[in-house]
Amino acid sequence: MLDPNQLRKDLPSVVAALARRGVSFDTERFAQLESRRKAVQVETETLQARRNAVSKLIGQLKSKGEDASKEMAESQAIPEQLKALEQDLSAIQAELNEWLMTIPNLPHESVPEGKSSDDNVEVRRWVPGPTDANGNPAPLPFEVKDHVTLAERFGLDFESARKLAGSRFMMLRGAAARLHRAAAQFMLDLQTESHGYTECYTPYIVNSSTLYGTGQLPKFKDDMFWVTKGGQDKEPQLDEQGNPVEREDLYLISTSEITLAGSMRDTITPAADLPIKLTAHTPCFRSEAGSGGRDVRGVIRQHQFDKVELVQVVQPEASYQALEDMVTHAEAVLQKLGVPYRVMLLCGGDMGFGAAKTYDLEVWLPAQNTWREISSVSNCEAFQARRLQARYRPEKGKPEYLHTLNGSGLAVGRALVAIIENYQQEDGSVIVPEALRPYMGGIERL
């Protein structure tokens, strides 16, 4: 969530920054809310001053033996008036917060101008083999097959998944399932053993409060899978003491960023405990409303897929170095797998809702003859932390908001696509990358 104090102190710069994302900020609505807030606060302060004055006057009248009934009646009415003003102020603040929950983060000054992915800027690329005139991996010297054609031979099964759950799901059998597990295990081991992340196992179902905190709600509600709990209309939800509590909506996670960053909710972390570096391998569930027609063939865009997620929680002054580090942590996976990739700096119009700055990693897919995203790494600055009330305690002074960062390290299904297509052979077999062979029992070819 944006900082309300920044809106009050420097509204023009906020408006200009949001315009770089293609977002128009309703300054008139904000001015009206601020005017109402200030009016209530002024009335509250005036009434509080009057309460103090009346109390003093009552004491003076009584000390003189004079009648203070009129002043006492006024004094007795003031608490109810103050309570009403407090409720008015809370309502105004709630309206402001509800609105700010729908407004994206401000882009960092280093984010390039642009409206779409066409305006993203290539930072670097890594191609381990020969290249063509455009710097792309040289074409394979035989007719290229896509990952579906190649992997159906060793266990990729869309038909069974379609019977079980519908379109955009997959089932893996045998060697394909083992390759999928090997890739995820390799990614986890690399991030924990080489880059210092703590492995976590998290819930796959979260409540709506967590999703508001991390920024998926309210904007992306239609892209989430909701969970309906059996018998929820009959059985009240109870807390640990057995008292009834208000039931929250539940959702399947779309990324373990939600649970990893969400675990910092309502916490104050000692500065000495920072940075916090977390990773988890989880399934991710996305309904992707409105994405029909894109990538309907294959593994690229699924309703359920696996991902190894990276999250860092750091002090504000360390967050942009952490962002660069996290990009290299994701790159290390692709380099060890020997898959060509490039790093793209996203323009203002192409960034995700909570990001202040984002790098995308894109892998080369020979069958599509193009680069496709496999990881996004973002610095959210204090945007998530403010929503989560995640703070740290510096050595001196009051608690301050943390900066949170997240990134894929990597999307497992898309990594399989890149491996299968880049390591394909003319006879239709697929070489297993050396980095994965220890996880595959030494198997070298599928």
Side-chain angles (χ1 to χ4, degrees), residues 4 182 258 387:
I258 294 167
R387 298 166 74 115

Side-chain angles (χ1 to χ4, degrees), residues 172-194:
L172 301 176
R173 303 175 187 272
R178 189 171 188 179
L179 184 65
H180 185 273
R181 174 166 57 89
Q185 186 65 56
F186 161 70
M187 293 174 193
L188 275 178
D189 287 350
L190 178 62
Q191 302 304 345
T192 56
E193 296 171 8
S194 298

Side-chain angles (χ1 to χ4, degrees), residues 308-338:
V308 172
E309 185 72 4
L310 308 176
V311 163
Q312 288 203 31
V313 182
V314 304
Q315 291 173 279
E317 62 270 20
S319 67
Y320 277 94
Q321 182 57 54
L323 176 64
E324 300 298 326
D325 292 343
M326 287 179 70
V327 174
T328 65
H329 298 162
E331 287 182 85
V333 177
L334 294 170
Q335 290 181 8
K336 290 184 178 297
L337 291 175

Side-chain angles (χ1 to χ4, degrees), residues 102-142:
T102 68
I103 298 173
N105 202 357
L106 305 182
H108 188 261
E109 59 185 9
S110 63
V111 170
E113 301 287 339
K115 298 180 179 179
S116 70
S117 58
D118 294 335
D119 301 312
N120 295 339
V121 177
E122 183 173 334
V123 177
R124 57 184 173 270
R125 67 175 60 185
W126 187 85
V127 181
T131 61
D132 62 15
N134 297 317
N136 297 327
L140 296 174
F142 50 83

Side-chain angles (χ1 to χ4, degrees), residues 142-143 145 150 153 423-431 445-446:
F142 50 83
E143 183 178 353
K145 299 180 178 68
L150 291 161
R153 183 178 58 80
Y423 279 91
Q424 65 179 292
Q425 305 299 300
E426 189 171 5
D427 63 359
S429 64
V430 174
I431 300 296
R445 183 187 295 255
L446 301 176

